[in-house]
Amino acid sequence: MAAADVAYAPPMKSGKAGFEAGLMDPQHRIRITLSSRSVKNLEKVCGDLVKGAKGKDLKIKGPIRMPTKVLHITTRKSPCGEGTNTWDRFEMRIHKRVIDLISTPDVVKQITSITIEPGVEVEVTISDP
Amino acid sequence: MGGRGGGGGGRKARNFATFRLFPRAGAADPNDRVFVRVDNNDYTVPGFADEDSFDPSLSDPSAGDGNFHSASGPLPEHVRREILELGLPDDGYNYLSHLRELRPAAASSFVPSSTARPEPLPLDVKAYDASRVRVGPSDGELDEGKTMCKVAAKTAPVRRIEKAVDPDVVRLLDESDVSHVGSEDEGLEEDFVIIANRAEGEELEEEDIEEWNGVLSDVEEEFDFEEDEPKPRVRRLLDEQFDLLALEEYGDSDDDDRVVKDGEYELPSEAIDELKLFQSQNVCVDEEYRTPADFVRQKVDSSTTDEVDESAHVIKKCAEYAERYLNETAEEEVVVLVSESSDESEVWDCETIVSTFSNLDNHPGKIETPGIPRKRLPRVFPGETTTTNDIIKLHGKEKLPVEYLPQRRRNGEKEKKVKPVEASVTDKFKKGAEKETKEEKKARKAAVKEEKKEARKAKKELKGLYKSETQKAQKVAAVTGPSSIRLIYCGKHFGLFEIMT
């Protein structure tokens, strides 16, 4: 793949001219799934990851926002059966973002170890390119 | 996506690996996370989460995590210092890995318990329990080495000293078994001074010795407290120094024959003679108070002529004595003044002293039985929410101040109400908000109606019960108060209201 790149030299984004050297062999498709209950933290982590990956000149498919899952719980307010029947409607929102990269697993480990935010769950799926 | 071979039949080839970031087990920092494999596929990704000793700091030195992976070799200095500070041994093992930091939310401020064991000794103090050491008179044997051995044999190091609640009490409690020797004899005779000075013999002094012995502490009990005790052993430099000091402080007291003990001193012989005289006179105490002048002027009940004479000369004699006393002090006779320690009177036994804390500082409460909780009128009157506080509104046919009376809940009727309502719960939700309020209203109104019904019933009962009270009170009022006062009985409130006309 490295040789093909050099010969073909497809139009790529700036910053990727010196691509041939420094390529380690096992390039994988990596999917990072971030999920969280708070949007702010999630967006922050996403942004950091994307920035980090771009800084290392990786091919990245930007944060894909999955639809938010809203979990509902509806209960009676009263602990006993007495009283006017009022109900509580609780909800929990789960936000999910997906980032696709093509790189080596080491690099990914680096990136994900730096950006750390509480409450954000990170899942990494590595597959053959 | 690449890697998905397979045709229509089989499952798609699962050649991917999924890792999730988990916080490291036992880690202090919640941000310290590792990748853990969460699927069961065969696909391996070397170098992602395979090793046991996964360390992000190793792969990326710029991460600056601070985790040091050094199983062998000396620990870095700051780690060692921290371990030592915590009191853990410095043996090359990183005990810090077993420590966990308290989260700020979880850890409230640390409050030491007041009932805990007493503090251990500070590091620069060593305590030894020397209660078993016998300090006794050993003839001629004052070899420093031997004494030290003896002492060392009996002492035991003690790791913490228990501070007594009240040192006086503890000290006295310690002596409790010894100090009761003379407690029965505490009542002094009327003329104890005379008796004490009259008996010059050894016996009385022996008695005194016994009494004093009882008050002394355990260690000193070892002494055979005799007259000639003071110098049984070889004099040391310390003894010389002590004697010099004693000389300076207390004057000439080198007499070995007349041993001076605490609280006991010998009166000058003139005083003794006078006292003897006095005792032989058989003075009886009359009801009336008489001065010497009475004897002289009024000649009242004087038994002896001596008395009259003496009374006349009392003043003269007093002056004489005073002069003599002054002269004596000028001549520096031996007058030993000893501060009244009076150990006998200060011995407290367990029955009389409970604590040496005074009520000025210590305010113990009296233990009482809990009273019956009495239901009173509610402090915050529900009627106060209205603007005017001065007007008490009377409602209903009976003109009662409804809002000022204690509300009582009726559980019986609520049960009736709940059942029919439950069935309509699901309906409510289906139909929506509008219909719900109608149902709610109906239910509420029904509840109120029920309550009022019950209230009426109860009131009728009560009225019947207390009818006689009204008549009685009216009788009383007829006798005492003005006739314009008419008393009526009001239902809920157990009292009678007056109607002022």
Side-chain angles (χ1 to χ4, degrees):
Chain A
M1 205 162 161
D5 274 348
V6 171
Y8 175 52
M12 288 195 200
K13 294 187 202 162
S14 58
K16 297 201 177 177
F19 204 22
E20 28 146 310
L23 266 185
M24 283 197 273
D25 290 342
Q27 287 271 316
H28 296 269
R29 283 183 213 261
I30 295 174
R31 173 168 282 183
I32 304 177
T33 307
L34 304 158
S35 54
S36 165
R37 288 191 280 143
S38 84
V39 194
K40 201 169 83 154
N41 288 357
L42 189 59
E43 287 295 332
K44 184 166 183 300
V45 172
C46 268
D48 287 344
L49 272 179
V50 166
K51 223 186 331 175
K54 282 199 178 159
K56 300 202 192 291
D57 290 335
L58 303 171
K59 184 149 190 253
I60 184 168
K61 288 190 181 150
I64 305 157
R65 294 178 177 86
M66 296 285 139
T68 316
K69 294 183 203 147
V70 184
L71 313 172
H72 292 285
I73 291 177
T74 309
T75 42
R76 277 287 303 277
K77 276 190 187 169
S78 158
C80 56
E82 192 270 329
T84 336
N85 299 314
T86 47
W87 293 79
D88 268 329
R89 274 175 249 154
F90 299 107
E91 65 179 29
M92 183 193 283
R93 292 185 185 180
I94 297 184
H95 310 269
K96 190 165 159 188
R97 308 273 183 270
V98 175
I99 298 175
D100 284 337
L101 306 168
I102 296 182
S103 91
T104 59
D106 308 322
V107 174
V108 170
K109 228 206 279 185
Q110 264 180 42
I111 299 171
T112 48
S113 70
I114 292 174
T115 69
I116 291 167
E117 201 80 32
V120 179
E121 192 187 280
V122 178
E123 194 172 293
V124 172
T125 303
I126 302 175
S127 157
D128 287 336
Chain B
M1 278 276 158
R4 298 233 182 101
R11 196 185 179 188
K12 292 180 192 168
R14 305 175 75 79
N15 38 8
F16 61 87
T18 307
F19 302 88
R20 198 180 284 181
L21 262 182
F22 282 114
R24 197 197 296 264
D29 187 13
N31 295 340
D32 184 10
R33 300 194 272 194
V34 259
F35 277 113
V36 174
R37 182 117 183 205
V38 292
D39 67 334
N40 294 328
N41 302 343
D42 291 329
Y43 194 77
T44 53
V45 183
F48 205 77
D50 291 338
E51 311 92 27
D52 287 331
S53 60
F54 167 79
D55 227 340
S57 63
L58 282 182
S59 54
D60 183 17
S62 66
D65 216 14
N67 258 11
F68 250 92
H69 179 65
S70 54
S72 60
L75 296 169
E77 277 307 309
H78 63 277
V79 176
R80 286 178 73 188
R81 213 177 307 124
E82 207 169 331
I83 290 173
L84 281 172
E85 268 173 40
L86 293 166
L88 300 164
D90 180 26
D91 52 10
Y93 183 70
N94 183 10
Y95 290 93
L96 298 182
S97 58
H98 295 276
L99 296 178
R100 186 173 67 86
E101 271 175 31
L102 295 168
R103 302 228 182 122
S108 42
S109 61
F110 176 64
V111 177
S113 69
S114 52
T115 55
R117 295 169 298 154
E119 259 186 3
L121 287 171
L123 289 172
D124 58 341
V125 173
K126 261 222 152 133
Y128 292 96
D129 177 21
S131 51
R132 290 168 151 268
V133 175
R134 300 196 146 219
V135 182
S138 43
D139 305 296
E141 186 185 85
L142 211 66
D143 185 10
E144 297 284 346
K146 276 195 177 175
T147 357
M148 268 211 291
C149 282
K150 279 193 182 171
V151 169
K154 296 282 183 166
T155 56
V158 155
R159 240 169 279 122
R160 68 177 86 90
I161 297 179
E162 308 223 320
K163 291 208 172 103
V165 171
D166 192 356
D168 287 338
V169 174
V170 167
R171 181 170 45 86
L172 293 165
L173 286 174
D174 278 346
E175 300 171 353
S176 62
D177 49 341
V178 187
S179 66
H180 282 317
V181 176
S183 60
E184 266 94 50
D185 310 342
E186 284 215 346
L188 293 168
E189 307 290 338
E190 297 266 313
D191 46 357
F192 61 94
V193 179
I194 298 160
I195 292 175
N197 286 288
R198 195 173 11 124
E200 312 262 358
E202 284 291 318
E203 305 139 13
L204 211 65
E205 296 199 346
E206 283 295 326
E207 275 182 22
D208 289 339
I209 290 166
E210 293 301 318
E211 285 189 26
W212 294 128
N213 256 353
V215 175
L216 296 172
S217 61
D218 292 347
V219 174
E220 289 182 274
E221 201 187 12
E222 298 298 310
F223 280 105
D224 295 333
F225 201 86
E226 293 170 32
E227 294 271 308
D228 302 324
E229 192 37 39
K231 317 270 188 314
R233 50 193 173 84
V234 175
R235 285 185 74 91
R236 300 184 290 184
L237 173 64
L238 197 59
D239 291 328
E240 307 272 6
Q241 289 175 340
F242 178 73
D243 282 340
L244 275 172
L245 184 71
L247 263 176
E248 282 174 28
E249 302 259 296
Y250 300 111
D252 226 354
S253 62
D254 271 344
D255 307 305
D256 282 353
D257 299 333
R258 247 189 352 175
V259 180
V260 175
K261 298 175 205 133
D262 281 357
E264 187 183 338
Y265 58 94
E266 291 194 10
L267 298 174
S269 47
E270 295 90 347
I272 296 173
D273 294 336
E274 287 290 336
L275 286 168
K276 283 188 190 163
L277 251 181
F278 178 69
Q279 196 179 37
S280 63
Q281 277 171 3
N282 286 343
V283 178
C284 57
V285 181
D286 296 337
E287 292 301 315
E288 272 183 71
Y289 173 69
R290 298 194 192 283
T291 55
D294 290 342
F295 288 116
V296 179
R297 307 282 166 148
Q298 290 144 23
K299 302 234 175 210
V300 182
D301 271 356
S302 57
S303 47
T304 55
T305 47
D306 290 341
E307 272 189 15
V308 180
D309 287 337
E310 286 187 10
S311 313
H313 302 303
V314 151
I315 296 176
K316 225 204 309 178
K317 282 202 171 171
C318 285
E320 275 180 34
Y321 288 143
E323 242 185 66
R324 218 190 294 170
Y325 177 72
L326 279 175
N327 292 338
E328 280 177 1
T329 52
E331 292 164 8
E332 302 241 11
E333 255 198 46
V334 177
V335 175
V336 180
L337 293 170
V338 179
S339 65
E340 264 288 312
S341 68
S342 66
D343 288 302
E344 280 184 327
S345 64
E346 269 195 27
V347 167
W348 298 323
D349 59 291
C350 277
E351 287 128 30
T352 53
I353 193 170
V354 173
S355 143
T356 53
F357 296 125
S358 85
N359 260 359
L360 297 171
D361 318 311
N362 199 24
H363 302 288
K366 196 173 178 186
I367 301 171
E368 295 171 334
T369 53
I372 308 162
R374 298 201 180 275
K375 208 174 180 188
R376 305 221 168 144
L377 292 179
R379 282 179 172 238
V380 179
F381 297 135
E384 269 184 13
T385 51
T386 61
T387 45
T388 51
N389 286 343
D390 301 331
I391 299 174
I392 298 174
K393 295 208 176 126
L394 305 170
H395 301 275
K397 203 164 77 168
E398 288 81 18
K399 307 279 181 240
L400 301 173
V402 171
E403 282 163 354
Y404 283 74
L405 301 174
Q407 309 280 347
R408 272 177 289 162
R409 298 191 132 239
R410 314 297 172 112
N411 284 323
E413 55 177 42
K414 302 277 181 185
E415 285 172 13
K416 291 182 222 159
K417 192 195 69 168
V418 162
K419 278 175 195 169
V421 167
E422 287 264 326
S424 59
V425 159
T426 46
D427 294 331
K428 277 187 211 175
F429 257 38
K430 286 178 192 168
K431 286 178 187 172
E434 291 177 328
K435 294 273 179 164
E436 197 178 316
T437 51
K438 262 195 202 165
E439 300 263 4
E440 234 180 305
K441 225 184 191 176
K442 266 193 197 163
R444 201 176 13 101
K445 293 223 160 156
V448 174
K449 256 191 186 166
E450 287 292 331
E451 198 171 347
K452 282 216 168 136
K453 200 167 160 193
E454 294 291 313
R456 264 179 271 138
K457 250 197 260 173
K459 187 185 156 190
K460 218 167 190 177
E461 282 176 41
L462 238 44
K463 193 168 187 178
L465 277 175
Y466 287 98
K467 209 164 191 175
S468 55
E469 295 289 321
T470 330
Q471 290 175 349
K472 261 197 245 166
Q474 214 151 23
K475 244 197 240 173
V476 173
V479 173
T480 55
S483 55
S484 59
I485 295 177
R486 254 179 60 220
L487 291 162
I488 62 161
Y489 168 69
C490 289
K492 282 188 198 172
H493 193 60
F494 293 169
L496 301 164
F497 289 103
E498 296 178 356
I499 295 182
M500 308 295 285
T501 54

